[in-house]
Amino acid sequence: MVPPLSVRLNRLACLNKNTTDILRGRSQFSGQSGSSLWKARRIFPPFAREAPKQTRRYASTAQEVATDARSLVTRLKNLFFGTAIGASLILGYLYITDTRAGVHQWVVVPSLRWLYDDAEDAHEAGTKALKALYSFGIHPRERGNSDNARDLSVAVFGHTLLNPIGTSAGIDKHAELPSALLALGPAIVEVGGATPYPQDGNPKPRVWRLPSQKGFINRYGLNSEGADAMAMRLRQRLREYAYSMGFGIDEVAEQRILDGEAGVPPGSLVHGKLLAVQVAKNSFTPDNDIEAIKQDYVYCVDTLAKYADIIVVNVSSPNTVGLRDLQKVEPLTNILTAVVEAAKRADRKTSPAVMVKVSPDEDSEEQIQGIVDAVWKARVDGIIVGNTTKRRDDLIAPGHTLPPREAAILLEQGGYSGPQLFDRTVSLVRKYRRKLDDGMQSDSLKVMESSSEFPKPKLAVEKSSSDNPTRSRKEGTVEDKIEATVQRDLANLKDSSPEMEAKSKSQPLIRLPARNSPSSPTKSSPEDAPALSSSSHIDQLSSSDRDLPQEITASSQPISLPVSSSSPLSSNSNTPTKTAPTTSSIRNQKVIFATGGITNGKQALEVLEAGANVAQIYTALIYSGVGTISRIKDEMRQEMKSRR
C-alpha cells in the first residue's frame, strides 16, 4: 500500500535535512543505527559541491597604468639600492686597500696599541693581519703608480730601483710577508735576521714603546726560526710565482726564475725592487771561536743566498752578547771574506750583493777606519750604516720631562730606535762615504799597479837613437811601437783642403755619449736612466771602457755614481759640488744604506745628499702605519719641486 502524499513529503523533507547535515559534518544519524544511515546514503548519495561561479571582472585602463607605475618605482628603488651597495663595497675596498688612506694611521695603529699593551704582541697581531689580508688579495698597496715617472729612481748593484726607500730588518723577522711589504711601495725590503739554528731570543717582555718620543726599546736577541725555515718560505714564494707566470712549480721552474728568465730579480720577484736577507750567528756560538762564527754565517748564506738579491751580515745587534766585538778589523775581515765567497757559490747565474750592517755606537775615526778597511779587503759591496743604539745620552730634548712610565722604560737594557737618531745617522753617513771613497782611490791604484795590462809609466824620457848612436833599439820595445804608430798615421793622412778643415772644425775631438753630451739635451737622459744615479752597471758604459782588467771590471762589484747633474737634488745650492769620478772609481764605489731616525721625505733627501744610496725606515713605519712609505715619497717629490 502506497503511503499518502503528505507522509512521503514529510519523510522526504526529513531525509533532505539529514543529508545536508551530513555534508556539513553534523550528521543527525550519529545516534541512529547503521541501517538507517545506510538507507539515507542509498536514497541520497553524496555529491561534490559545486564551486561558486566567479564573475570575471575586467580592470579599467587607469588601474593598469597605476599598477605598472608602482612596479616600475619598485624596480628603480631596488636598482638604486643595489647599485649603491655595490658602489659602496667597491669604493670601500679601494679606500681600505690604499696605503694613503688615513684609516691606517689614525684608526688601525691606535687600535693595535689600545688592544695590545705589549708592543711585541701588537707587532705580531699586525703581521698576522697583513699576512691574512694578502692571502685574500685585500691587502694595503700603493695605488697610482707614481714611481713610473722615475723621478726618484736610483741605480744600485746594477739594478735601476723605482725609488731610494727601503724597510729595515725587524719588521719581518721570519720572511713571512716580503711580498706584502713590497706592495707598500719600498724599493728594498730587508727580512731577518736568520740564524743557522732556531733560537727564541731573550725572555719576554723585550719590547717597549715610548709614545711621547715615537721611539722603541727592544732586546729581541735575534729570535729566529732558523735559516732552513726561512729558505722554505722563500722557496715556496718563488715557486708560486713561477707557477703564476706559467713556468711550472717544480725544481726546473724554480731554477729558471733564479737564472733570470722571468726578467725580474730572483729575490724580490718585482721589477725595480730588491729583497735583502739578513744573516747572523747563533747566540750560543762561542765568541772567541772565529771559525765557528764563520761557519754560522756561511751556513746561512749557503742556505739563503739564491733566494736573495742582497745578503746583509749583521755584526751590530746590541742584544747579542759579543756580536759587536766582531766589528774589529781582523775578525770582521775573516767573516766577510768567507761570506763573499759563499755568496759567489749561489746556485744561479748571478750572485747576490753582500753588505755589512754596522753599529751607530762605533763612531770614532779609528773604529770607522777599521770597518772600512775590512770592507775593502773582503771585497764587500756596501755598508748599512745604523742600527739600534745602546746610548741614552742626547735622546731627550733639554727641558723635556718624560712621563714616569716612559722614564722607567728608558732605563731598560736594549737598543733604542727613534727620530732622535737622525742627526747621528747623517753624520755617520758622511764619515763612511768619505772614508770609503778614500779607500776606493787607494784600492784602484793597487789594482792598476798589479795589472799586467797597465804597465807603470816611465819616470824619464829616454834619448832617441840619433842622440846616442851607440845605443841599439830592440825590436818590439815601446818606442818602436810608438814610432810605428806615428808613421802609420802619417801615411794615412789625407791632403789638406778647405772642405776637410771645415768638417774637422765642426766635429769634437772626443765624442761624448748621448746621455752626457751638453749639445743634445733632449737625449741626455734616456727613459730608463735613474734620476738619482747613485750607482751604475758595467753594461751602461761604453764599449771602450769595458776593455779593462778583470780586477776592475768584476761583475760582482757594485758600480756607484754620485748624484747626477740632471738630478733634482743637484739644484740645491747647499749641496757641495762633486768631482767627476774616473772609470775605475765609478765601478768600485761602495753602496751605503742609511737607517736610523728617518721619518719624513726631507730627512730622506738629506741622508741621500750626505752620501747614502738608499734610506731605510723602521720605527716610522710602526708608528705611522702602512702609508708611511707613500707619504715619504710624496714629501720627497714636493721638496725637490720646491728647490727647482
Side-chain angles (χ1 to χ4, degrees), residues 581-598:
T582 62
T583 302
S584 60
S585 66
I586 288 175
R587 302 185 181 201
N588 289 318
Q589 191 179 41
K590 302 300 182 183
V591 173
I592 294 179
F593 291 180
T595 178
I598 302 171

Side-chain angles (χ1 to χ4, degrees), residues 5-206:
L5 180 61
S6 60
V7 174
R8 284 184 290 173
L9 290 177
N10 290 336
R11 192 178 295 175
L12 180 62
C14 181
L15 291 175
N16 187 23
K17 182 176 181 300
N18 291 336
T19 302
T20 303
D21 291 340
I22 290 172
L23 293 176
R24 293 179 180 178
R26 300 191 305 269
S27 175
Q28 298 296 326
F29 297 93
S30 57
Q32 299 179 9
S33 62
S35 59
S36 300
L37 181 61
W38 178 80
K39 291 179 180 179
R41 288 178 178 175
R42 283 191 65 185
I43 298 173
F44 297 98
F47 55 89
R49 182 184 298 179
E50 294 183 2
K53 294 183 179 180
Q54 296 181 355
T55 304
R56 182 173 296 178
R57 184 177 180 182
Y58 295 94
S60 64
T61 305
Q63 289 178 339
E64 290 182 358
V65 172
T67 302
D68 293 341
R70 286 194 297 270
S71 177
L72 179 62
V73 171
T74 301
R75 292 178 181 178
L76 290 177
K77 285 182 179 180
N78 294 337
L79 178 62
F80 173 77
F81 285 118
T83 304
I85 293 173
S88 300
L89 292 175
I90 294 174
L91 293 177
Y93 166 79
L94 294 176
Y95 176 78
I96 293 296
T97 58
D98 193 340
T99 56
R100 293 176 174 85
V103 66
H104 299 302
Q105 179 178 1
W106 306 112
V107 177
V108 176
V109 174
S111 298
L112 286 173
R113 290 171 56 187
W114 180 75
L115 291 172
Y116 300 94
D117 184 64
D118 184 81
E120 184 175 1
D121 293 341
H123 182 84
E124 291 179 355
T127 300
K128 291 179 181 178
L130 187 58
K131 182 179 179 181
L133 292 174
Y134 185 82
S135 65
F136 289 105
I138 54 176
H139 58 286
R141 69 205 71 181
E142 188 176 54
R143 298 190 183 277
N145 297 324
S146 59
D147 287 336
N148 288 347
R150 295 191 177 275
D151 51 349
L152 295 179
S153 61
V154 57
V156 174
F157 302 132
H159 300 272
T160 300
L161 304 184
L162 296 177
N163 60 77
I165 304 299
T167 61
S168 296
I171 297 176
D172 186 10
K173 284 183 170 292
H174 310 303
E176 295 179 293
L177 57 157
S179 298
L181 290 177
L182 287 168
L184 301 182
I188 291 180
V189 167
E190 183 183 357
V191 299
T195 56
Y197 292 98
Q199 61 182 27
D200 295 331
N202 294 320
K204 297 182 179 182
R206 52 191 179 185

Side-chain angles (χ1 to χ4, degrees), residues 589-612:
Q589 191 179 41
K590 302 300 182 183
V591 173
I592 294 179
F593 291 180
T595 178
I598 302 171
T599 59
N600 55 57
K602 186 175 181 180
Q603 290 178 338
L605 286 176
E606 186 175 347
V607 79
L608 294 174
E609 293 170 347

Side-chain angles (χ1 to χ4, degrees), residues 233-283:
R233 289 194 182 97
L234 294 178
R235 179 170 58 250
Q236 178 67 21
R237 172 176 173 265
L238 187 143
R239 292 195 178 188
E240 289 177 355
Y241 175 82
Y243 182 78
S244 66
M245 297 299 293
F247 288 91
I249 200 169
D250 56 0
E251 294 182 0
V252 176
E254 174 186 340
Q255 193 62 44
R256 293 178 65 186
I257 300 297
L258 290 175
D259 289 338
E261 293 189 26
V264 295
S268 68
L269 305 177
V270 180
H271 178 70
K273 299 187 178 185
L274 301 177
L275 177 67
V277 176
Q278 185 187 116
V279 297
K281 78 177 189 71
N282 279 116
S283 58

